[in-house]
């Protein structure tokens, strides 16, 4: 005997309509890149400021800060070793403190530099995404 109900349904229970959830697939921004294709000097002489040079400089600035922070930490370590070797008890104590602090200062310097450079890149990415939204008609 055939029942008027579908599989898994019982008499007395109202049939619930099937809800279909459609999820929009993720689409990245329109393919524009932060540094565009003009090159460094093309972006440098772009008087409309549509092309940014800061994203091109971030890698260089990070390597430069890595080198400068490392040189500073090594100089601090050398000063500490000279202070320890001097024989004076106060300078020995300062030297031991600098021996401990020089790697910490190096690490904190790199972290702070990295955070500032990432913040700059995030601001440029936000600007690029807002420009994409505006160009696609999302904001008027």
């Amino acid at each position: 005997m055939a029942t008027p109900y579908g599989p898994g349904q019982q008499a007395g229970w109202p049939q619930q309509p099937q809800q279909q959830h459609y999820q929009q697939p993720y689409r990245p921004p329109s393919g524009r890149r932060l540094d565009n294709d003009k090159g460094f000097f093309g972006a440098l002489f772009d008087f409309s400021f549509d092309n940014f040079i800061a994203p091109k400089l971030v890698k260089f600035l990070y390597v430069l800060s890595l080198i400068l922070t490392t040189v500073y930490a090594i100089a601090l370590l050398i000063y500490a070793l000279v202070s320890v070797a001097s024989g004076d008890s106060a300078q020995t104590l300062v030297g031991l403190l600098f021996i401990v602090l020089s790697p910490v200062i190096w690490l904190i310097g790199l972290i702070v530099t990295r955070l500032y450079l990432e913040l700059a890149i995030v601001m440029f990415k936000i600007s690029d995404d807002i420009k994409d939204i505006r160009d696609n008609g999302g904001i008027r």
Side-chain angles (χ1 to χ4, degrees):
M1 173 176 175
T3 62
Y5 308 107
Q9 293 181 342
Q10 299 177 355
W13 291 94
Q15 185 175 357
Q16 296 291 325
Q18 294 290 331
Q19 294 181 356
Q20 295 179 353
H21 297 283
Y22 294 103
Q23 186 175 10
Q24 291 287 342
Y26 172 73
R27 279 186 243 148
S30 65
R32 288 188 336 200
R33 294 177 36 201
L34 289 176
D35 55 0
N36 294 333
D37 295 329
K38 280 193 166 187
F40 180 76
F41 289 106
L44 187 62
F45 295 108
D46 176 25
F47 295 108
S48 65
F49 289 91
D50 287 333
N51 300 294
F52 300 117
I53 63 167
K56 293 175 180 59
L57 292 175
V58 167
K59 289 180 187 177
F60 171 74
L61 291 174
Y62 187 63
V63 169
L64 182 67
S65 71
L66 175 66
I67 291 170
L68 292 177
T69 306
T70 302
V71 167
Y72 178 73
I74 289 173
L76 191 62
L77 188 60
I78 290 171
Y79 173 76
L81 293 174
V82 169
S83 296
V84 168
S86 71
D88 185 21
S89 63
Q91 282 187 338
T92 302
L93 187 61
V94 169
L96 291 174
L97 180 68
F98 281 170
I99 287 173
V100 172
L101 286 181
S102 63
V104 174
I105 290 171
W106 178 81
L107 185 64
I108 290 173
L110 284 183
I111 289 171
V112 168
T113 302
R114 179 71 185 218
L115 288 174
Y116 278 118
L117 292 174
E118 284 182 7
L119 180 63
I121 289 296
V122 166
M123 289 190 321
F124 282 105
K125 285 185 179 183
I126 289 171
S127 169
D128 199 39
D129 289 343
I130 288 174
K131 193 180 286 186
D132 283 341
I133 291 170
R134 185 187 64 216
D135 291 345
N136 292 331
I139 297 176
R140 296 189 200 269

